């Protein structure tokens, strides 16, 4: 499981994630809630955990994405996002593996393209898990 971010304590419904989501009820919080729900819906084996102050979605216990709210935008971040085919140019970042989508409340976003990246991130991490089994 080289280069995988494993959280043995990830669970189906983490109360700490629910607290974070309920505490972020402003416009940015609503966006974060919406997109974290999309992460939850990526597959039946999605669990969650709070990591570094962010709701983090895992496939079983391996992280594949997170959301976070900032002052003027939210991020949907992808572990191993550097491996995702981003046909619409939504991903940002220059780190070794991580990439994120920045969403601002009043900017138009291609919702289908974001959802496609979420699905790709899920499938990509599933393939890494299968290869490491």
């Amino acid at each position: 499981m080289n280069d995988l971010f494993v959280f043995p304590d990830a669970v189906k419904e983490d109360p700490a994630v629910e607290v974070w989501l309920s505490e972020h009820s402003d416009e940015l919080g609503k966006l974060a809630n919406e997109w974290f729900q999309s992460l939850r819906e990526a597959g039946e084996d999605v669990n969650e955990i709070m990591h570094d102050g962010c709701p983090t979605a895992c496939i079983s216990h391996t992280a594949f994405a997170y959301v976070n709210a900032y002052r003027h935008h939210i991020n949907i971040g992808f572990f191993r996002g550097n491996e995702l085919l981003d046909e619409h140019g939504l991903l940002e970042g220059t780190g070794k593996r991580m990439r994120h989508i920045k969403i601002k409340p009043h900017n138009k976003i291609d919702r289908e393209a974001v959802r496609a990246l979420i699905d790709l991130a899920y499938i990509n991490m599933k393939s890494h898990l299968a290869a490491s089994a």
Side-chain angles (χ1 to χ4, degrees):
M1 287 189 143
N2 291 341
D3 297 327
L4 299 180
F5 215 2
V6 178
F7 295 103
D9 296 332
V11 295
K12 195 66 174 170
E13 295 179 17
D14 185 342
V17 169
E18 287 305 317
V19 168
W20 189 96
L21 293 172
S22 69
E23 288 176 347
H24 291 78
S25 58
D26 61 359
E27 191 172 26
L28 289 169
K30 288 177 185 173
L31 280 172
N33 273 273
E34 172 188 349
W35 288 110
F36 194 74
Q37 187 60 36
S38 292
L39 296 175
R40 286 173 164 162
E41 294 168 357
E44 291 183 15
D45 54 355
V46 173
N47 287 336
E48 59 194 46
I49 193 165
M50 287 296 294
H51 172 68
D52 283 347
C54 304
T56 302
C58 301
I59 298 172
S60 184
H61 300 290
T62 303
F64 77 96
Y66 71 90
V67 298
N68 202 5
Y70 297 92
R71 187 172 184 169
H72 299 290
H73 69 278
I74 70 159
N75 278 358
I76 305 170
F78 300 101
F79 299 92
R80 301 189 80 100
N82 63 310
E83 299 172 359
L84 303 178
L85 178 61
D86 180 17
E87 295 178 348
H88 299 282
L90 298 176
L91 291 174
E92 298 182 27
T94 58
K96 183 176 179 182
R97 299 214 190 286
M98 298 291 294
R99 297 291 183 273
H100 64 275
I101 300 170
K102 189 180 292 184
I103 300 175
K104 296 180 181 179
H106 301 292
N107 288 7
K108 186 176 179 186
I109 185 90
D110 185 337
R111 302 177 80 68
E112 289 181 27
V114 173
R115 182 65 207 186
L117 281 172
I118 290 170
D119 292 341
L120 281 172
Y122 175 84
I123 291 165
N124 183 56
M125 191 59 71
K126 287 284 276 195
S127 70
H128 281 285
L129 291 170
S132 68

